[in-house]
């Protein structure tokens, strides 16, 4: 059974993952508005991936006999200064999520909650991948600078992204 402290922390993470999905959807809208359809596509997929994260925590809390409490999701920003700016904001957000996951791991350790610890290992690995992929795009955008053709090449590449189904935490 989940402790009430862990249940509260996991519910808070459900909200944070929902916010991630919402944020990336807002970024998708921004990118489409500035005619970067490939970027927009990438963020749409990212938003869907975050919903998979939501459901992993959601199902886990229920599987442990806990109570899911859904709370209000903060409104994300609607605009960013540039394509680079939007990806820099995404990277900052992923780093924030990594730190949240780290705190959850510490709590699971402190409580000797091995099942939650096992679930969180999936997220620890996922965050390494997510930070790395966003960081690569930030670096590519910095290299592209103000060269429109380079930006369009990145846009075309990001437009190829497909949704990767999440594998089990087990
Ligand atoms: Fe981006 O990994 Fe969940 O939030």
């Amino acid at each position: 059974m989940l402790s009430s402290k862990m249940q509260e922390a996991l519910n808070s993470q459900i909200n944070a993952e929902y916010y991630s999905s919402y944020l990336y959807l807002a970024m998708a809208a921004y990118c489409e508005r500035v005619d970067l359809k490939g970027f927009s596509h990438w963020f749409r997929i990212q938003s869907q991936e975050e919903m998979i994260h939501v459901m992993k925590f959601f199902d886990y809390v229920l599987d442990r006999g806990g109570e899911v409490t859904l709370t209000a999701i903060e409104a994300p920003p609607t605009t960013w200064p540039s394509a680079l700016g939007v990806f820099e904001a995404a990277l900052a957000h992923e780093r924030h999520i990594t730190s949240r996951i780290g705190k959850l791991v510490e709590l699971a350790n402190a409580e000797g909650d091995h099942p939650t610890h096992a679930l969180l290992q999936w997220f620890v690995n996922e965050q390494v991948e997510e930070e790395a992929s966003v960081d690569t795009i930030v670096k590519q955008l910095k290299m592209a600078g103000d060269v429109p053709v380079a930006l369009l090449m990145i846009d075309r590449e990001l437009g190829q992204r497909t949704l990767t189904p999440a594998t089990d935490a087990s």
Side-chain angles (χ1 to χ4, degrees), residues 137-151:
I137 298 167
V138 166
K139 285 181 179 142
Q140 287 176 348
L141 285 168
K142 282 183 178 164
M143 276 189 266
D146 291 331
V147 182
V149 74
L151 196 61

Side-chain angles (χ1 to χ4, degrees), residues 149-162:
V149 74
L151 196 61
L152 287 175
M153 277 172 68
I154 299 171
D155 188 66
R156 190 169 299 171
E157 189 188 324
L158 296 186
Q160 307 299 316
R161 184 177 181 189
T162 53

Side-chain angles (χ1 to χ4, degrees), residues 17 20 46 50 53 94 97 127 130:
E17 299 290 345
S20 300
Q46 187 70 11
E50 296 301 347
H53 299 174
E94 285 305 327
I97 293 293
Q127 285 310 118
E130 292 212 327

Side-chain angles (χ1 to χ4, degrees), residues 27-157:
M27 289 175 167
Y30 164 77
C31 290
E32 188 140 344
R33 227 168 53 232
V34 296
D35 296 321
L36 291 167
K37 289 207 187 262
F39 284 69
S40 176
H41 171 81
W42 192 95
F43 278 116
R44 282 171 192 244
I45 299 276
Q46 187 70 11
S47 176
Q48 289 174 35
E49 277 204 359
E50 296 301 347
M51 284 310 298
I52 294 172
H53 299 174
V54 167
M55 295 314 294
K56 265 184 175 287
F57 281 113
F58 179 93
D59 286 335
Y60 177 76
V61 171
L62 295 176
D63 283 349
R64 294 288 309 280
E67 196 172 311
V68 168
T69 309
L70 298 178
T71 51
I73 306 162
E74 190 191 330
T78 53
T79 195
W80 288 268
S82 60
L84 174 59
V86 77
F87 269 95
E88 282 177 333
L91 183 57
H93 182 68
E94 285 305 327
R95 287 178 175 155
H96 163 69
I97 293 293
T98 299
S99 120
R100 287 189 64 109
I101 297 289
K103 288 191 179 113
L104 285 171
V105 171
E106 282 163 24
L107 180 60
N109 279 338
E111 296 201 346
D113 184 343
H114 301 296
T116 302
H117 188 271
L119 170 86
L120 291 170
Q121 291 318 297
W122 185 89
F123 284 94
V124 167
N125 295 327
E126 175 74 0
Q127 285 310 118
V128 172
E129 275 179 37
E130 292 212 327
E131 279 195 35
S133 71
V134 179
D135 191 42
T136 299
I137 298 167
V138 166
K139 285 181 179 142
Q140 287 176 348
L141 285 168
K142 282 183 178 164
M143 276 189 266
D146 291 331
V147 182
V149 74
L151 196 61
L152 287 175
M153 277 172 68
I154 299 171
D155 188 66
R156 190 169 299 171
E157 189 188 324

